[in-house]
Amino acid sequence: MTTTASPDGTPEPQPDNDGTPAEPTGQHADGDTPPPPPDPAPASPQPSTNGRGRPDESFEALVSDALGVDPEASRRKKLRWLLVKATLGLLGVLGAVLVAYLMIKPSAIRENDTNTGIDAAKTPFTVSVRPEEGEPPTWAMVLDRKLTADEARKLTTGDPGSAFSYLRELGGRPLVYASVMEHAPERYVRHTRDGRLELTDSFKMTVLSTRSSAVVIDGWKTTDITCHKSTTQTVVAMPPQGGAAYQGIRLHLPPRADEPVLTDDAEGQGESYFGTHYIEVGGGQPSGGLRVEAIAPPGQACEWGIKVHYNDSYQKGDWLQLKDAKGKPLRILTESVPADLQQKWVFGSVAWTPCHKNPKGPLCELV
């Protein structure tokens, strides 16, 4: 197709060889600018092979994303990154374990120091004292009054086996015949100078400790002894038929040399108890104890206290005054039988004998 110029200079289309006129490019025949063609329709998403309308994310692509590696990188590079990351993770775990291991000893030391301080701050031990329970094999009951005729009749005509409990009901206080010290040194012969057997106020002393480390009691002192005349007027006694030794310790008031002494029927009887023995508590042994025979001067009643020496695992040693459950200094009452009694009865291996009426009766010299 050819064009010719119009008189005003506008080119005019000329028919092609086939005679059909052609329109100039970009214009309609009427000279207006044609509208732009409509936007092409958006391409519909191609369905993925997983049927969820999004491109597949292969495992390899996910691994690459997790490792921070270009998905287009070679498998060797990806494997190298994987090994590096795994090594770093393993080193991190091993480092944490190593740090925890290295901290075990300092932590254990701090914990032990704390526990040691708590243990050392505890009271080293506590002591309780109580009279012996039950009826001893041989005994003497003391009363601060005379028995009435009716009480004496009931006592001497009743069952001898009930005498101990009956006298306790009347207000009697039991004393016990002291252990026989046949193997003791001369100062601990069986009889006293006046020929009578010694009567004791015996009690059990129990030592308790909550410490986790051991505490050892290795010394003893009597303290603050105060005595007065006994108020006893009547004694009813069942003297021993033979001698017997009891495990424990004995002391007089005031104490004799080396007292308290061992009363066991064994080697060392009559020797200083704390010279060869000690009481150990704490450290898995929460309690310990002793049977104590205390002997007051004739015709006296005494109150006294106890101070003991202890050593512990923290290289601390001291004298400690024993206290009662109320936190006051422990006071122990010990009494003996006076010579000027109003009534004195003996029985047991003999029939009931009123020694106040028959001083030379059998067994009367044993009271």
Side-chain angles (χ1 to χ4, degrees), residues 22-24 39 59 73 77 86 97 149 152 160 173 182 210-211 221 227 238 253 274 283 291 301 355:
E23 293 183 358
D39 293 334
F59 176 75
K77 184 176 182 180
V97 172
R173 301 181 300 278
E182 294 179 342
T210 59
R211 283 196 178 183
K221 291 180 181 178
C227 298
M238 187 173 72
L253 299 173
F274 287 105
R291 179 184 183 272
C355 296

Side-chain angles (χ1 to χ4, degrees), residues 4 13 71 90 104 107 113 115 138 157 167 229 252 321 353:
T4 60
L90 180 60
I104 287 176
S107 298
D113 290 343
N115 293 337
T138 60
T157 59
L167 290 167
K229 185 178 179 180
H252 291 77
Q321 182 74 43
T353 301

Side-chain angles (χ1 to χ4, degrees), residues 122-133:
K122 292 180 180 178
T123 301
F125 55 85
T126 58
V127 175
S128 63
V129 171
R130 60 181 176 84
E132 289 191 278
E133 298 177 353

Side-chain angles (χ1 to χ4, degrees), residues 177-188:
Y177 280 91
S179 297
V180 175
M181 308 281 279
E182 294 179 342
H183 308 295
E186 183 62 26
R187 66 180 179 273
Y188 279 103

Side-chain angles (χ1 to χ4, degrees), residues 121-293:
K122 292 180 180 178
T123 301
F125 55 85
T126 58
V127 175
S128 63
V129 171
R130 60 181 176 84
E132 289 191 278
E133 298 177 353
E135 181 178 348
T138 60
W139 50 267
M141 194 76 71
V142 297
L143 296 92
D144 290 338
R145 62 177 180 84
K146 295 168 51 177
L147 293 177
T148 66
D150 186 59
E151 290 170 343
R153 183 172 56 254
K154 185 175 181 180
L155 174 67
T156 57
T157 59
D159 179 11
S162 63
F164 185 87
S165 58
Y166 176 64
L167 290 167
R168 289 295 298 266
E169 291 175 4
L170 297 180
R173 301 181 300 278
L175 301 178
V176 180
Y177 280 91
S179 297
V180 175
M181 308 281 279
E182 294 179 342
H183 308 295
E186 183 62 26
R187 66 180 179 273
Y188 279 103
V189 295
R190 178 176 179 180
H191 296 279
T192 61
R193 291 178 181 177
D194 60 5
R196 289 189 175 89
L197 292 176
E198 290 183 305
L199 285 164
T200 76
D201 244 329
S202 65
F203 59 88
K204 288 185 177 180
M205 185 178 76
T206 303
V207 184
L208 304 172
S209 178
T210 59
R211 283 196 178 183
S212 59
S213 58
V215 179
V216 173
I217 298 174
D218 56 6
W220 170 304
K221 291 180 181 178
T222 57
T223 61
D224 303 322
I225 302 173
T226 58
C227 298
H228 59 82
K229 185 178 179 180
S230 174
T231 57
T232 297
Q233 296 185 28
T234 299
V235 61
V236 180
M238 187 173 72
Q241 299 181 37
Y246 300 92
Q247 291 185 344
I249 60 176
R250 176 194 292 182
L251 73 156
H252 291 77
L253 299 173
R256 298 176 181 177
D258 297 329
E259 286 189 326
V261 297
L262 183 68
T263 60
D264 297 13
D265 187 14
E267 184 179 356
Q269 186 184 68
E271 300 294 341
S272 174
Y273 178 81
F274 287 105
T276 55
H277 295 72
Y278 56 84
I279 303 171
E280 181 177 351
V281 291
Q285 184 169 326
S287 65
L290 284 174
R291 179 184 183 272
V292 181
E293 295 180 352

